[in-house]
Amino acid sequence: MERRQNRSTTPRIWRNWSSKGFKIRLLVIFLAIVILSVFILNIFIWTRDVSKLEDPAPQSTIIYDQSGAVASKISVSNIEGVGIKQIPEDMIHAVIATEDQRFYKHNGINYIAIIKAFASNIISGEVVAGGSTVTQQLAKNAFLTQERTYTRKIKELIITKKIERTYSKDEIMEKYLNQIYFGEGAWGIQRAAQTYFGKDVSELTLAESAMIAGLIKAPSILSPFKNMEKSIERRDVVLSLMEKEGYITKSDVKKAKEQSIVLEEKKMDDYKGKYPSYVDHIIEEATQKYGLTENGILSGGLHIYTELNPTIQKAAEEVYKEDALFPESQADQLIQSGAVFINPSTGGINAIVGERGEHTFRGFNHATQLKRQPGSTMKPLSVYTPAIEQGYDIYDMLQDNPINIDGYQPKNYDNQYRGQVTMYDAVVHSYNVPPVWLLQKIGLEDGVNAVKRFGIELEEADYTPGLALGGMSKGTSPLSMAQAYSAFPNNGTMVDSHSIKVIEDANGNTLAKWKENALRVTEPIIAQKMTYMLKGVVEKGTGIKAQVEGLEIAGKTGTTQLPFANNDGAKDHWFVGYTPEIVGAIWLGYDKTDAQHFLSSTSGSSVTTIFKEIISRSKSELTNTDFNLSLVGKQLSEQKKRKEEQKKADEKKVEEKKLEEEKKIENKKKEKEKVNKEVKKEEKAQEKEKKKKEKEKE
């Protein structure tokens, strides 16, 4: 029965679907939906505002801090709009042939190109082609983000249609060429002509027009300043497309390829933004490590994600504005300084201040570019770490007597010698003779190799006993010293310092990305022993003024001698200090040292104070207050106990010797008194006998 009912129902449904009336109703509904959709779409198009195109502006390069928040914006490019009549036809034809062959034939959307691109993508299995027209590119660049979503595509369609209805084709091309980015900080065709060829856009040749048009695809990669070979290869592609579209002949192509390329780079204006010293280093790192250009960085609409910690950076900048924290300078020359702070676990540079006084764009950065002898801050790297690796220990006795090594005769700062001192005391009080003696014991080669392991560059001329005290022919930078010391709080592992994490172009494409490079410099137990001693420097040694309440700090001071005879001054002051979470290196001195320009204070009272102030104002960022010395805690306690017991035993011996000496003196005194008493008694007896004889005589 059920089967019969089902069989009778099916024909009825099919007859209803196939009836003429139902088809008409379905068609009417479909047409109504289409008309309504078109109506709604046209309302969106009609109400869309595209007046922003009347005032085009370049995109700022945005600097992000370590948490991903915007830290600074850089915008230096002043766009120069030009009319369509000023732009050579070759330039316009090059862009059309390359970017949108049907530009003058479509109404903003090239459906043929979209179908071709869709087919290519299906065949390849990935997105290898697009179908965007010049108008779509203009809409996207001026009004939208680079996200790939259906919502963004719909918005792009609406804006594209509004632009096409508002402006003529020539006006659209004019706005496109004034809006597009051509690399090297050049926004707009006029700035591109000036930046690459040093001329007005109207003076561009066919070859130059083709080269500039070729940059649109990937300006950061195809820039002739970065890769001339790729730029020429792309230019030739553009010339071929122009020939294919009938804009030029084979003869024109040949002449254009034969034309010599004469570049004339034009620098952009200095940027005005926050954290100038840090931004200077970003530019330096991006150009040196990742091959970008200065102009491209400054105004290329890039997104640069960094290791900047704004709290620490602001603290450092504030401290460097307070002249009272620095020694008084001579009237004709300012005492300069540089400071850099690194996260030891990541190698990320948290803060940089490169100079005192007014900032000079891309000027000399004393934190990263300075090369000066590091003084005693070198001792932990060149002597004490390799010595402990060889088996020496913290409380081992080191010689502190006059020493002469082929004429090299180091002296302690106070010109005193103590015979023997523990390694701990030698580090804490920064004695000079013990580390030189120790370097001779472990071997100069081991000291040199240790310094190199810590990433400090050496010249062959530096292979001398003076390396123990930081004697170098060229010197090193605060950045290099901070990176070297970062191995101590990081249990012996040193991570390459860096300010940049990722660089993206204006379209969100990754141009550069930092790859971690970590090196095991020494073993964890060695690093902890070094931290224990360097903690003593701050607790009761030369770095005592670097103390910050509530934080354990370790570090080492350094002072270098003047290049002329003067016992009351110094050339350089250094302090490299660290907490469990941050390492800072500070240098202080004159750029030009002479008899009138030198430091009269000590490093223990100058750079340590600066370090203390910066760390004190950054405490909110430092949560780990105590060093991890778990590997050496028990051993150090036992060594310290033995040292104290030995000290007590030595003191007891001294006391016993003193008592023995006092007893001897007392016995001698009593013996003398006894002798004197006997003498006096004898004298009295003689006197009595004398008087008796005189009486008998009378």
Side-chain angles (χ1 to χ4, degrees), residues 365-377:
N365 192 318
H366 295 84
T368 61
Q369 297 172 321
L370 177 89
K371 297 287 185 182
R372 290 286 183 97
Q373 292 187 356
S376 293
T377 59

Side-chain angles (χ1 to χ4, degrees), residues 544-563:
I544 197 167
K545 291 191 176 180
Q547 291 181 3
V548 176
E549 186 178 354
L551 283 177
E552 282 194 343
I553 293 176
K556 186 72 191 73
T557 55
T559 304
T560 64
Q561 294 180 338
L562 290 168

Side-chain angles (χ1 to χ4, degrees), residues 56 68 81 83 109 122 127 132 157 175 184 215 326 329 384 394 414 432 443 445 456 470 608 620-621 648:
I109 307 296
I122 291 294
V127 179
S132 294
L157 171 64
K175 294 181 186 305
E184 302 298 331
L215 295 173
F326 293 81
S329 306
Y384 294 120
I394 292 173
D414 57 0
N432 291 332
E445 185 178 355
I456 306 295
T608 49
S620 62
E621 302 299 300
K648 287 179 181 179

